Amino acid sequence: MVEQLIKMNKLIYLYNFVTSVIHPLSALCGKIFNHKERQVLKTSLILIFHFSFLTFNLHSQDIHFSQYNQSPLNLNPALTGVFNGEYRFVGNHRRQWASVTVPYQTFGLSVDAKSPIKKLPNLSAGLALYTDKAGDSDFGTTQVNLSGAYRIRLSSDSSQHIVIGIQSGVTQRKLNYNKLTFDSQYNGYQYDATLGNNEVFEKQQRVYANLNGGMVYTKKFSERTVLLIGASLFNISKPKQSFNGDNLTKLDRRLDFNGQFKFSG
């Protein structure tokens, strides 16, 4: 009961903080936005922050890249189709900790289309593939996601939009126990690979479904000046992760915020 009260107090504090930030922020934008646009921006920010407010106590570790803004479908499903052009192809590669015995490597490929269905011009779609391999056990992650996003026009001149995106797919995680060493394989003098490890492993791989969602607000001032603010939530279903068959270990949800302001003279 005490823990629930503490958590509720934290949520109330966060809510009060967010609302106290949004109101002055809307006022500070007076020189950039007219009254109607300020109201739209204010409402959009409140929706985005309320979306994150529902998922306050979060932490997670997923496939990620240092230049995260160059992997849009992995940052926010609502960024599907948010670009200039008809199609977008993205490739990423990360090699981390090269000094260890087996460096961690991550590859990513994605493609998305702005309006693949002519009868539904506001609907965008995308496909993303990621592979990751880490450590001596070849702990590998392979993930395939399909994403869709829908643009809602907020102004008559199409300068403002809310984009709502959803992403779903499948992830496979596996490891190779044969590449690991254990205390029981020490014969008193040295490591002996012929000795049994005396371990019982129930699973070598795990397959689970992904479910992610996001929201983005965009404001286009001119062809070269664009504002973008968004929030996304990954691992909504908290899929099971344990290789021991106990189903107690679950993947935590991941909350991301993203923002961008493009300006060129």
Side-chain angles (χ1 to χ4, degrees):
M1 184 66 179
V2 175
E3 292 181 356
Q4 292 178 344
L5 289 174
I6 293 174
K7 186 175 182 180
M8 182 59 66
N9 286 334
K10 288 181 178 180
L11 292 174
I12 293 172
Y13 175 80
L14 177 65
Y15 179 84
N16 291 334
F17 172 76
V18 168
T19 53
S20 67
V21 169
I22 290 175
H23 289 288
L25 179 61
S26 178
L28 287 173
C29 292
K31 294 184 179 180
I32 302 176
F33 301 91
N34 59 39
H35 176 71
K36 184 177 180 180
E37 291 174 337
R38 288 201 305 273
Q39 290 299 114
V40 171
L41 175 59
K42 179 179 175 181
T43 302
S44 302
L45 287 172
I46 290 174
L47 285 173
I48 290 172
F49 277 109
H50 276 219
F51 172 75
S52 60
F53 169 74
L54 297 175
T55 56
F56 173 66
N57 190 16
L58 307 173
H59 53 280
S60 183
Q61 180 69 52
D62 291 326
I63 290 176
H64 60 280
F65 297 95
S66 300
Q67 296 182 341
Y68 50 85
N69 58 314
Q70 300 301 322
S71 182
L73 302 192
N74 193 42
L75 178 62
N76 191 333
L79 291 176
T80 304
V82 180
F83 60 92
N84 292 326
E86 293 298 322
Y87 298 93
R88 174 173 58 184
F89 298 87
V90 178
N92 301 97
H93 172 237
R94 184 189 66 167
R95 193 169 187 266
Q96 187 177 6
W97 297 340
S99 60
V100 302
T101 54
V102 181
Y104 289 28
Q105 296 194 71
T106 307
F107 296 89
L109 292 172
S110 68
V111 58
D112 56 327
K114 198 177 192 72
S115 301
I117 304 175
K118 298 303 180 184
K119 293 183 178 180
L120 298 171
N122 293 328
L123 179 66
S124 301
L127 172 67
L129 169 65
Y130 304 100
T131 64
D132 181 82
K133 185 171 287 188
D136 294 324
S137 66
D138 288 341
F139 180 64
T141 301
T142 301
Q143 187 176 97
V144 180
N145 286 328
L146 287 170
S147 61
Y150 191 81
R151 297 183 299 278
I152 302 173
R153 190 176 64 179
L154 301 178
S155 57
S156 58
D157 60 356
S158 298
S159 63
Q160 296 184 85
H161 290 87
I162 280 282
V163 186
I164 299 173
I166 189 169
Q167 188 178 75
S168 184
V170 177
T171 297
Q172 179 198 51
R173 285 187 165 174
K174 62 180 181 178
L175 52 83
N176 187 352
Y177 293 110
N178 295 325
K179 291 192 174 183
L180 298 176
T181 61
F182 300 85
D183 292 345
S184 58
Q185 294 175 298
Y186 179 70
N187 61 14
Y189 299 97
Q190 61 185 0
Y191 168 74
D192 186 351
T194 63
L195 296 177
N197 57 39
N198 296 331
E199 300 289 339
V200 178
F201 304 109
E202 296 193 19
K203 291 178 178 290
Q204 285 193 326
Q205 68 174 356
R206 185 123 206 176
V207 179
Y208 59 86
N210 312 314
L211 181 60
N212 315 313
M215 183 183 297
V216 162
Y217 166 80
T218 64
K219 164 64 178 175
K220 187 176 182 181
F221 300 96
S222 67
E223 290 298 325
R224 298 184 177 183
T225 307
V226 180
L227 171 68
L228 183 150
I229 303 171
S232 54
L233 180 63
F234 289 77
N235 311 320
I236 295 174
S237 60
K238 299 185 68 174
K240 299 171 182 177
Q241 296 292 291
S242 177
F243 284 81
N244 296 323
D246 54 22
N247 295 328
L248 297 177
T249 305
K250 296 183 179 181
L251 186 62
D252 292 318
R253 296 187 180 104
R254 183 184 104 220
L255 176 64
D256 289 342
F257 293 100
N258 63 287
Q260 189 176 54
F261 183 73
K262 293 182 178 180
F263 173 79
S264 59

